[in-house]
Amino acid sequence: DEMGLNQLFPAKADIAVRKFGGGSYLTFITVDTCVAFVQVDPEAPNATYPTLTSLWRCPEALATVTIAPPVSKFVINGADVMAPGILAVDDSAQVGNFVSIFVAGNPSAVGVG
């Protein structure tokens, strides 16, 4: 929505696109020196996703998955989110789309996947 876009892209923000290549291709979209989005494949649909910094500014940008607090330390250290640790999934979540990962009781996203 428009309010969310205003939170992510303030009116006087300095927006830059930085591409990195080699064997792979990555694009970083920065807003005022903060990486706001990462694009992993320019040809693939849904290949651009917000960073945690963007989700902290606009938590409703993605559908959410809420995990149990005891498993959060494993996820934060790089483990995959597995079904037994999931407490809730937003109704708008769809297979193949990115979601934000929240820990129950914590208002800030801890991951994107």
Side-chain angles (χ1 to χ4, degrees), residues 15-36:
I15 298 170
V17 176
R18 297 162 198 231
K19 296 181 181 183
F20 295 89
S24 61
Y25 179 86
L26 284 175
T27 300
F28 296 96
I29 301 166
T30 61
V31 177
D32 289 334
T33 72
C34 231
V35 177

Side-chain angles (χ1 to χ4, degrees), residues 4-97:
L5 284 174
N6 289 336
Q7 289 175 314
L8 293 174
F9 299 102
K12 295 184 180 189
D14 181 27
I15 298 170
V17 176
R18 297 162 198 231
K19 296 181 181 183
F20 295 89
S24 61
Y25 179 86
L26 284 175
T27 300
F28 296 96
I29 301 166
T30 61
V31 177
D32 289 334
T33 72
C34 231
V35 177
F37 293 88
V38 177
Q39 183 178 42
V40 293
D41 181 357
E43 305 298 323
N46 303 322
T48 302
Y49 59 94
T51 61
L52 284 176
T53 305
S54 292
L55 290 173
W56 294 336
R57 288 183 184 167
C58 186
E60 64 280 353
L62 294 175
T64 62
V65 170
T66 304
I67 60 173
V71 300
S72 65
K73 65 181 175 184
F74 300 106
V75 172
I76 290 168
N77 285 319
D80 291 336
V81 175
M82 297 185 189
I86 296 174
L87 298 177
V89 178
D90 202 346
D91 289 338
S92 63
Q94 296 180 1
V95 173
N97 288 349

